[in-house]
């Protein structure tokens, strides 16, 4: 159809997406739908190979496909061979480079009439050698995103086909509860739920099994740990601080549960999950997140007047968001919309060994701006928590008695309504003036 009008059919298609999003399945499905043979290899296989073997395998693969054309070739994890060739490799070429060159040679050898299409998958398109992306090679790019709510429901339906479900199982509700989970994660969720149901001696899998399995996947298994009375109380205040702020900071994610039972890596966790799938984060939402993260330490400071190491991962996450706001998302009025860190390496400003892409002075401003955001959010956390001391004490008493509280229990114990809607932060005066100028 294409060649009739003088066009050339595309030869290479690059599937881009996070691990577990189903790039391999998609490639297989294309071959299945088209009813053509499917030849695949994984880039990772070549990393440790003896020099020359990779290139030979590539030659072989393309030869087979050509003989069986029309056919589809699939190269998984192409980034492990297709990484940009650095200046280091002048002289003797590495196995990786030879394999890459062979792929390029084979693709250039196609006229487009052989009926062979090469699909490749990667989760790091930005590290790929530019030569791979040139016209006539992988010039089509298909982004395979994490599934949305409808997609997640469909995926759950597929994986539960052979699972006996109890009448109370609501896959649509499970899909709504699992934003951010990939197809592979959902498959794992179904399996964990089935294992739980079996361990509980049931004949079918119930909604509760799914929800418990989800908690286990997201938070890690519960583990017993003896805590002193003082530790328990301090932890309860720390977690209570997070939970209260989850209720009073506008735009905060709803607090799903709060517990002082240690789980997985984290000593304790307050589990907040976003209401909906998000593709775009407003500045006010990011600030709400930071305020909530600093709430654990703020509660400890208010109640005990001292600090502990318990806030380490909170501080790490909060700093990370604040730094990204300043260096990647143009949310500092002082620095404006200048990219100061790469998307790939968010820590460019903090731990990059090579030359920084900005001056010493800008570096100092970045540090100061990150500091300012954290300080402002910390002050917000202190102020909001101090005003809710009564509710915080009530929550802590309930936590010490019951250890784990669900969403409804948290609302009952504190008597607080769920967090109000997000109001966006108004633009700065300079930005307002600029906007008015463009209007007039
Ligand atoms: Zn914390």
């Amino acid at each position: 159809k294409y060649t009739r009008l003088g066009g050339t059919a595309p030869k290479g298609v690059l599937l881009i997406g996070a691990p577990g999003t189903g790039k391999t399945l998609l490639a297989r499905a294309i071959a299945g739908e088209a009813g053509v043979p499917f030849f695949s290899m994984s880039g990772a296989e070549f990393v440790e190979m003896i020099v020359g073997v990779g290139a030979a395998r590539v030659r072989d693969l393309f030869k087979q496909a050509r003989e069986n054309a029309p056919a589809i070739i699939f190269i998984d994890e192409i980034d492990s061979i297709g990484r940009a060739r650095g200046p280091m490799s002048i002289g003797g070429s590495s196995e990786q480079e030879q394999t890459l060159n062979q792929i390029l040679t084979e693709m250039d050898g196609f006229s487009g009439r052989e009926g062979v299409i090469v699909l490749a998958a990667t989760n790091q398109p930005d590290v790929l050698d530019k030569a791979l992306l040139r016209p006539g090679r992988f010039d089509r790019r298909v982004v395979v995103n994490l599934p949305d709510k409808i997609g997640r429901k469909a995926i759950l339906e597929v994986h539960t086909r052979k699972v006996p479900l109890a009448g109370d199982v609501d896959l649509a509700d499970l899909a709504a509860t699992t934003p951010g989970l990939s197809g592979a994660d959902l498959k794992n969720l179904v399996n964990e739920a089935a294992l739980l149901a079996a361990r509980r001696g049931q004949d079918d899998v119930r909604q509760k099994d799914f929800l418990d399995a989800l908690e286990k996947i997201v938070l890690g298994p519960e583990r017993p740990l003896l805590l002193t009375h003082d530790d328990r109380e301090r932890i309860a205040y720390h977690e209570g601080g997070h939970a209260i702020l989850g209720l009073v900071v506008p735009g905060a994610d709803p607090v799903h549960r709060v517990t002082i039972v240690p789980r997985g890596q984290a000593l304790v966790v307050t589990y907040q999950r976003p209401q909906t799938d998000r593709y775009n984060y407003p500045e006010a939402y990011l600030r709400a997140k930071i305020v909530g993260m600093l709430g654990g330490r703020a509660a400890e400071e208010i109640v005990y007047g001292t600090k502990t190491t318990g806030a380490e991962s909170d501080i790490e996450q909060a700093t990370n968001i604040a730094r990204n706001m300043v260096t990647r998302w143009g949310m500092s009025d002082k620095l404006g919309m200048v990219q100061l860190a790469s998307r790939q390496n968010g820590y460019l400003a903090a731990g990059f060994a090579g030359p920084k892409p900005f001056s010493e002075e800008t570096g100092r401003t970045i540090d100061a701006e990150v500091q300012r955001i954290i300080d402002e959010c910390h002050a917000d956390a202190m102020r909001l928590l101090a005003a809710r001391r009564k509710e915080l004490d009530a929550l802590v008493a309930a936590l010490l008695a019951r250890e784990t509280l669900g969403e409804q229990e948290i609302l009952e114990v504190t008597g607080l309504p769920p967090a109000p809607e997000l109001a966006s932060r108004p633009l700065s005066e300079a930005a307002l003036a600029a906007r008015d100028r463009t209007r007039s």
Side-chain angles (χ1 to χ4, degrees), residues 226-302:
L226 288 174
L227 297 170
T228 65
H229 171 78
D230 287 356
D231 270 342
R232 281 182 89 231
E233 192 193 75
R234 196 181 253 275
I235 288 171
Y237 269 107
H238 180 106
E239 295 305 313
H242 287 308
I244 293 281
L245 290 183
L247 291 174
V248 301
V249 177
D253 291 330
V255 182
H256 189 54
R257 76 201 284 286
V258 52
T259 179
I260 55 171
V261 181
R263 267 177 176 278
Q265 286 288 308
L267 194 55
V268 270
V269 184
T270 299
Y271 179 36
Q272 284 170 276
R273 63 176 166 77
Q275 192 87 285
T276 49
D277 296 2
R278 281 180 186 274
Y279 292 100
N280 209 355
Y281 296 93
E283 182 185 6
Y285 172 79
L286 297 173
R287 280 184 169 255
K289 272 208 105 76
I290 298 178
V291 172
M293 283 165 185
L294 300 179
R297 163 61 65 83
E300 291 187 58
E301 285 175 284
I302 289 171

Side-chain angles (χ1 to χ4, degrees), residues 334-370:
K334 231 181 213 153
L335 288 158
M337 290 187 285
V338 180
Q339 189 195 22
L340 298 163
S342 74
R343 183 191 283 246
Q344 216 187 314
N345 184 355
Y347 294 101
L348 204 55
F352 188 57
K356 290 181 177 143
F358 44 77
S359 68
E360 286 280 315
E361 195 192 330
T362 303
R364 272 192 294 274
T365 313
I366 292 174
D367 291 341
E369 285 292 275
V370 172

Side-chain angles (χ1 to χ4, degrees), residues 95-111:
E95 172 60 9
Q96 177 213 323
E97 218 173 307
Q98 282 195 23
T99 310
L100 173 60
N101 285 336
Q102 190 62 40
I103 292 176
L104 296 179
T105 310
E106 295 286 349
M107 289 191 77
D108 291 346
F110 285 159
S111 67

